[in-house]
Amino acid sequence: TAFVTLWKLGYARESFTHGRTICDFIEEHRLDRQSPIHHPLCVALVVFYARPFKRSNVIGAIPATMVPKDNRFLHGQILAMRDQVAAHTDGNPANHGEGGLPMKNVRVSIGNDGTRSLNIYELKFSADAIRQIRALAEILSGKTTYHIERRWRKMASQIPGVPGEYLMDLESETFRNIQSPR
């Protein structure tokens, strides 16, 4: 339905916007892979990016055909990182990059003095990867905005004309006023 599609596109656009914001934050603060906040930000980035492409019980996913052909490999890698590292720990331990270590690994480090430590794989992107992901999120944000605007035009007669905040009821395909402006 038009309501579900609009909801799905709005959700997707917000997710891509959050992804761009994370990329911008990493760049603006010059956070490198050694920064203690880099890994948590990269996890949030892949989760936000992937959310619109994952099925939910309510609205479903946006089609992968929205991703430009030139970006499909990067898109697939981001989804794999979400599924196998960021959001789940039971996924396939695929290699990270050609000839790389498994995405899920625990390493034991033994120092010269005999100290031992356990280290787990952390999701950390290079500055170049951050720029590529940001560019892809920007493209997808633009595409979702375009489709949202098209839907708005088609639904013009259904959209309330009175200022306020409205809940989109997906079952009845109506707008319910939840807050009028003061």
Side-chain angles (χ1 to χ4, degrees):
T1 70
F3 270 65
V4 170
T5 300
L6 185 60
W7 196 97
K8 190 182 326 185
L9 290 167
Y11 181 76
R13 182 174 63 182
E14 285 302 306
S15 294
F16 299 136
T17 298
H18 290 313
R20 283 191 348 244
T21 299
I22 292 168
C23 292
D24 291 343
F25 184 88
I26 291 171
E27 269 197 341
E28 288 168 15
H29 291 86
R30 296 185 170 125
L31 301 177
D32 63 15
R33 294 178 188 186
Q34 304 311 310
S35 169
I37 194 70
H38 195 271
H39 168 67
L41 289 171
C42 289
V43 168
L45 174 58
V46 299
V47 169
F48 276 119
Y49 175 87
R51 279 193 325 178
F53 297 102
K54 297 296 180 177
R55 282 224 164 275
S56 78
N57 292 334
V58 178
I59 61 158
I62 64 171
T65 55
M66 287 192 77
V67 178
K69 286 182 182 173
D70 293 349
N71 298 103
R72 297 234 170 111
F73 180 76
L74 175 61
H75 169 77
Q77 288 211 308
I78 296 169
L79 294 185
M81 288 179 193
R82 182 255 179 219
D83 292 347
Q84 297 173 12
V85 179
H88 301 285
T89 58
D90 58 349
N92 177 5
N95 287 348
H96 179 67
E98 183 130 354
L101 294 171
M103 281 193 218
K104 280 196 267 194
N105 65 63
V106 177
R107 294 166 299 217
V108 175
S109 297
I110 302 173
N112 290 335
D113 62 357
T115 58
R116 298 175 299 243
S117 65
L118 293 175
N119 304 298
I120 62 165
Y121 174 82
E122 290 191 338
L123 188 58
K124 296 182 177 185
F125 295 117
S126 67
D128 186 49
I130 293 291
R131 284 189 289 276
Q132 289 177 32
I133 295 168
R134 193 214 184 279
L136 178 53
E138 180 75 29
I139 290 167
L140 293 170
S141 181
K143 283 186 167 196
T144 53
T145 297
Y146 168 79
H147 288 290
I148 287 168
E149 294 303 322
R150 282 185 53 210
R151 289 281 172 200
W152 279 130
R153 286 190 294 277
K154 286 182 178 181
M155 296 173 65
S157 65
Q158 294 174 277
I159 298 171
V162 178
E165 188 170 335
Y166 298 84
L167 178 67
M168 290 177 61
D169 186 322
L170 299 180
E171 288 182 21
S172 67
E173 295 191 356
T174 59
F175 293 96
R176 187 179 74 207
N177 188 324
I178 56 174
Q179 183 175 343
S180 297
R182 294 179 184 194

